[in-house]
Amino acid sequence: MPSFNLKALLLAAAALRAVSAHTTFTNFYVDGAPQGDGTCVRMSNNIPQATFPIKPITSQDMACGVNGDKGVARICPAKSGSQLTFNFRDWPDGSHPGSLDKSHMGPCSVYMKKVDNSAADNNAAGPGWFKIFEEDYDSSSNQWCTSKIMANDGKMSVNLPSDLAGGYYLVRPELLALHQADKSPPDPQFYVGCAQIFLQSTGSSVPKDTVSIPGYVSMQDPAMTFDIWTPSKQGTYKQFGPPTYKSGASKREIESRTTQTTQTLGLKPANCIMQNDNWCGLSLPSYSDEKGCWASSQNCWDQTSKCYDSAGPVGSKNCKNWESYCTSVKSACGGGNFNGPPSASSFMPAPLSRLTSTGSFAVAASPDNAGSKTESSTTSSKAEAPAIAPSSGDSDKSTQGGSVNTCGSNNGGLKCASGLCCSSHGFCGSSSDYCGSGCQSGFGTCSGGASKHKRAHILGRAHAHLKEWSV
């Protein structure tokens, strides 16, 4: 009987990558447990521009990002008071290190919104958002919040309020890069996304002090034009949005709601044996004859197609694993072994790493199946953070071929490596942020810089399914 054979998967990777690094929220952890890349996360469906900032700030995309009005299939459970750790990456599939360019300094915050169903469409933009965390410039360490995240491999952790009503929520981490806010016109750059969670809680509170997104900030707010490059202004930044909600707030700030205690939506299917973001590879039907074997093989290939078709910015690594499993099923059928299906255990991806938490930031620790957690290897963020005016003696600022980070008259006269531009604020890069207005020609090139929109993370979807008939 005929069967489909997946002959080729063509994955396009990271074309035209600019040195200036944007970012996107890709995955998160609940009390240190990894939920998986893209799992329970609303992400852009425009893969080449998945790391671009949201523009304009009046856009509906300010709520949960591009395509953020579309829910995803999975909803991840979290307990009252759980720590959520959000991971931001420059390369969404994690194929290259890095979270954000060092010049992209600014505040960060986390918002929540209670909804009837976290996986439903069209429930992000609009009223109901409340803030549970914010941080801007830390005068004690001379760091912006984004700098701490960069020094911590793109990770930021916050604790959920302990008295919130149980039920479905959207959780929205927000980074704001102010490196272009002093330009004319000002260009504040927001990076946002949303996690879908079910909060297991016996609390009954939802803050009344909520805002609408978009609408919670405008270009008239001083925060949108704040000059991070003038040392005397550090520490004078004024946050925007509602006050941060804390557990145990007065009754004037909260309203009681009926608590939902049991999650019924967005659950991981019981027969899910492999996942790629929000896709699940389901156990194949059992068989004991040739007809059943080929039918199960066809089922496997059909699931493979759905995996690749649904793959988003975080890529399709586990689709490839599932494809290899399907190849083994087909080979067994072709070899006359009609009892199955075979185990998928040898095709499973490596276990994901847990986190050990420290304060508002967290670092990778032991794998899920390891016997015990290791101690945190968190290093002082103060020692790793980029200085506002780095000295020429910083060992990580230059290489034999020239600087790849800082440059210019205010940074000891460092010159950028060949092909890189020195921005007006003394950072090396190749996008229009660096090569455009104010570029310091004496410390790098100021022509031929790539447009800041000329970058691509074309991952996961570029593939070809070629049909081959066999008997």
Side-chain angles (χ1 to χ4, degrees), residues 150-233:
M150 294 175 216
N152 200 57
D153 195 29
K155 296 178 177 64
M156 173 181 68
S157 297
V158 300
N159 291 323
L160 297 175
S162 60
D163 59 354
L164 291 180
Y168 298 95
Y169 287 84
L170 299 177
V171 188
R172 173 186 177 272
E174 170 190 284
L175 307 186
L176 171 57
L178 294 170
H179 60 295
Q180 295 286 313
D182 64 328
K183 298 294 186 182
S184 182
D187 183 22
Q189 297 182 4
F190 282 88
Y191 300 93
V192 303
C194 284
Q196 301 180 170
I197 70 165
F198 179 82
L199 181 62
Q200 301 168 346
S201 172
T202 58
S204 60
S205 299
V206 175
K208 287 184 177 179
D209 197 356
T210 62
V211 294
S212 179
I213 302 178
Y216 72 126
V217 65
S218 75
M219 289 304 298
Q220 283 66 52
D221 286 304
M224 298 300 97
T225 56
F226 187 82
D227 180 7
I228 63 172
W229 304 107
T230 301
S232 62
K233 293 186 178 181

Side-chain angles (χ1 to χ4, degrees), residues 323-355:
E323 179 195 349
S324 297
Y325 173 52
C326 295
T327 299
S328 73
V329 176
K330 176 183 179 295
S331 296
C333 294
N337 182 358
F338 303 131
N339 291 288
S343 171
S345 59
S346 62
F347 302 96
M348 296 298 292
L352 300 173
S353 296
R354 292 187 60 89
L355 296 178

Side-chain angles (χ1 to χ4, degrees), residues 28-30 78 82-86 156-160 171 197:
F28 68 105
Y29 304 74
V30 179
S82 282
Q83 184 180 81
L84 301 189
T85 301
F86 308 100
M156 173 181 68
S157 297
V158 300
N159 291 323
L160 297 175
V171 188
I197 70 165

Side-chain angles (χ1 to χ4, degrees), residues 367-451:
D368 272 338
N369 59 349
S372 62
K373 297 181 182 180
T374 60
E375 291 296 315
S376 169
S377 61
T378 300
T379 308
S380 168
S381 297
K382 183 176 181 179
E384 297 184 63
I388 297 297
S391 69
S392 60
D394 289 344
S395 60
D396 66 333
K397 302 304 182 188
S398 61
T399 64
Q400 186 175 2
S403 175
V404 295
N405 283 334
T406 57
C407 58
S409 57
N410 292 330
N411 292 315
L414 285 176
K415 293 186 177 181
C416 293
S418 177
L420 301 185
C421 303
C422 183
S423 75
S424 59
H425 295 304
F427 286 86
C428 298
S430 64
S431 78
S432 59
D433 285 347
Y434 300 80
C435 304
S437 176
C439 176
Q440 300 184 60
S441 59
F443 304 95
T445 183
C446 287
S447 61
S451 164

Side-chain angles (χ1 to χ4, degrees), residues 25-37:
F25 165 45
T26 57
N27 59 298
F28 68 105
Y29 304 74
V30 179
D31 293 323
Q35 305 304 294
D37 282 7

